[in-house]
Amino acid sequence: MVHYGHSNQLRQAKAMGDYLIAGVHTDAEISKHKGPPVFTQEERYKMVRAIKWVDEIVEGAPYVTTLETLDKHNCDFCVHGDDITLTVDGKDTYEEVKRAGRYRECRRTQGVSTTDLVGRMLLMTKAHHSNIDNPDYQQHTDNFGKVCALALYGPKGHSPWTGVSQFLQTSQKIIQFASGKEPQPGDTIIYVAGAFDLFHIGHVDFLEMVYKQAERPYVIVGLHFDQEVNRYKGKNYPIMNIHERTLSVLACRYVSEVVIGAPYAVGKDLLDHFKVDLVCHGKTEVFPDKDESDPYAEPKRRGIFRAIDSGNNLTTDDIVQRIIENRLQFEARNQKKEAKEMAVIEAMKKRDQLEQSEAAAQNAH
């Protein structure tokens, strides 16, 4: 998958240098070393290109990063998160560049991983929503969910890199992701609204098309609160809560600003406040407001509403469907990945114990 944890890693990497090249693996490489990818390589190439801190991507980057790879792309060093990446046979993929002193590390984003997101889709619970205390959000935990939890995370020890943890939003994180740019005279202010859940290539293609509607676009994305999304989407949607969706959208290079918890109806106050010139909506269904009214009635009345066809029909439902279809493979992937990581942790513990006992023996002499 491509999620805001990756975006945060790319943001940190960019801050370490001047020009950021992101290497993206092929489907075949990922299947071999990790398990089935959720997005195809073409989708992933396009999604990584749309992350605002990326200057260039390398398609089909090798899974093991070598000095040859760094030299070929004229890179001074490579960056990875502080979680370990292992090959199919359990070797550290960054061993060579670490030895050569051309490796830097950035901090992993707590509370998100592909494993965690896949787990949320399979469990079909609503516990990831921001109002966890609401008893309505506790239903849907059927036997299927319990089985998946066991298959995903196992009955015993957890790897610190593959488990589930709660994402904690901070004002600092929003500031780091935000552009901080105000609209300038001559900019066309374009407003779009939605859930933008599990931010994917369908969203990227839509926002790129919206961005192209003007010569100097300033795109504002209104994100609906979790309860609002659940009202019109149902089931366990949104998969990502409002805090996660905020960062996902802010990381996109076509977006200038995000309204966190936008009103469902695009009304007079909102349009006047942001001095909106154009309101766009994609080809997805427009659900009526609570009172059955059209949420786009006001922009339509003003003649500033435009329906956009990005040519991409992919929806969040389609992504969830992919996961469910590959469910058994994903469960196997997560168990295997965690087992590999636990083996490395055990080896590291043993090495540390050995070093300590050797040091103690030397001190005794």
Side-chain angles (χ1 to χ4, degrees):
M1 285 187 75
V2 183
H3 53 67
Y4 65 93
H6 300 126
S7 302
N8 192 37
Q9 194 172 326
L10 292 162
R11 178 190 67 77
Q12 292 177 72
K14 179 65 184 267
M16 295 179 191
D18 307 298
Y19 191 85
L20 179 63
I21 301 174
V24 184
H25 307 311
T26 61
D27 293 346
E29 280 277 78
I30 293 173
S31 297
K32 180 185 169 190
H33 295 282
K34 291 178 91 165
V38 179
F39 296 139
T40 68
Q41 60 199 43
E42 293 306 323
E43 288 170 339
R44 289 181 290 106
Y45 297 154
K46 199 161 186 183
M47 285 188 73
V48 176
R49 275 195 184 96
I51 294 170
K52 62 185 175 186
W53 298 285
V54 175
D55 295 297
E56 187 186 322
I57 79 156
V58 171
E59 297 185 2
Y63 196 75
V64 175
T65 304
T66 61
L67 293 171
E68 187 190 347
T69 304
L70 293 189
D71 292 339
K72 181 182 173 185
H73 300 290
N74 198 25
C75 293
D76 296 294
F77 57 89
C78 71
V79 181
H80 191 262
D82 54 8
D83 55 326
I84 197 156
T85 310
L86 304 169
T87 61
V88 70
D89 46 11
K91 291 197 172 73
D92 180 354
T93 55
Y94 290 93
E95 202 176 340
E96 186 181 314
V97 289
K98 281 178 180 175
R99 275 205 308 265
R102 288 172 71 182
Y103 174 85
R104 308 263 175 99
E105 212 159 71
C106 61
R107 288 176 61 196
R108 212 179 146 273
T109 311
Q110 285 302 312
V112 66
S113 66
T114 297
T115 312
D116 175 28
L117 293 172
V118 166
R120 292 184 205 180
M121 287 180 251
L122 291 174
L123 287 167
M124 295 301 276
T125 66
K126 300 181 184 183
H128 51 276
H129 290 174
S130 45
N131 68 345
I132 292 168
D133 302 331
N134 182 334
D136 295 345
Y137 280 66
Q138 301 295 345
Q139 48 182 286
H140 290 299
T141 319
D142 53 11
N143 292 333
F144 167 59
K146 289 178 190 127
V147 170
C148 287
L150 195 64
L152 277 163
Y153 307 116
K156 42 188 192 298
H158 293 315
S159 158
W161 303 303
T162 298
V164 180
S165 61
Q166 188 70 36
F167 170 69
L168 299 171
Q169 182 73 287
T170 60
S171 55
Q172 186 57 34
K173 184 64 69 235
I174 293 174
I175 289 164
Q176 287 167 346
F177 270 60
S179 72
K181 293 193 188 94
E182 303 240 331
Q184 299 303 308
D187 284 356
T188 301
I189 297 169
I190 308 174
Y191 182 77
V192 301
F196 292 88
D197 192 16
L198 282 180
F199 197 75
H200 55 71
I201 191 67
H203 298 131
V204 170
D205 284 344
F206 168 67
L207 289 168
E208 183 182 11
M209 193 61 85
V210 166
Y211 188 83
K212 287 176 176 171
Q213 297 302 303
E215 214 163 293
R216 287 178 48 188
Y218 187 92
V219 178
I220 301 174
V221 175
L223 287 179
H224 302 139
F225 277 134
D226 298 342
Q227 298 91 311
E228 191 72 75
V229 176
N230 192 251
R231 177 184 70 80
Y232 62 83
K233 289 276 288 178
K235 296 181 196 163
N236 63 328
Y237 291 112
I239 304 292
M240 282 184 165
N241 68 38
I242 184 72
H243 305 306
E244 300 175 296
R245 292 183 285 120
T246 298
L247 296 186
S248 304
V249 173
L250 279 174
C252 180
R253 65 171 71 249
Y254 306 117
V255 175
S256 303
E257 182 62 289
V258 167
V259 181
I260 303 166
Y264 190 68
V266 183
K268 180 183 182 302
D269 290 350
L270 185 142
L271 295 174
D272 293 345
H273 178 83
F274 291 110
K275 300 180 173 62
V276 175
D277 299 302
L278 186 63
V279 175
C280 295
H281 185 82
K283 289 293 181 188
T284 55
E285 185 185 350
V286 177
F287 295 93
D289 205 348
K290 291 187 189 79
D291 61 2
E292 297 301 312
S293 63
D294 177 0
Y296 291 107
E298 181 61 19
K300 284 174 181 173
R301 192 188 66 76
R302 295 187 184 195
I304 60 168
F305 180 81
R306 193 177 293 174
I308 301 288
D309 186 359
S310 68
N312 187 333
N313 297 321
L314 190 75
T315 65
T316 302
D317 284 328
D318 297 331
I319 304 296
V320 173
Q321 214 40 53
R322 287 183 191 183
I323 299 281
I324 289 167
E325 281 166 15
N326 284 314
R327 179 183 141 212
L328 294 173
Q329 279 178 284
F330 281 117
E331 287 168 359
R333 163 203 187 271
N334 292 341
Q335 280 180 309
K336 226 163 61 180
K337 185 171 179 281
E338 190 153 39
K340 262 197 311 191
E341 288 168 357
M342 290 302 286
V344 168
I345 289 165
E346 284 306 310
M348 282 156 83
K349 264 194 213 157
K350 278 184 187 147
R351 191 188 63 201
D352 290 346
Q353 284 164 352
L354 193 68
E355 283 171 2
Q356 280 167 4
S357 57
E358 281 172 359
Q362 278 178 337
N363 290 340
H365 290 310

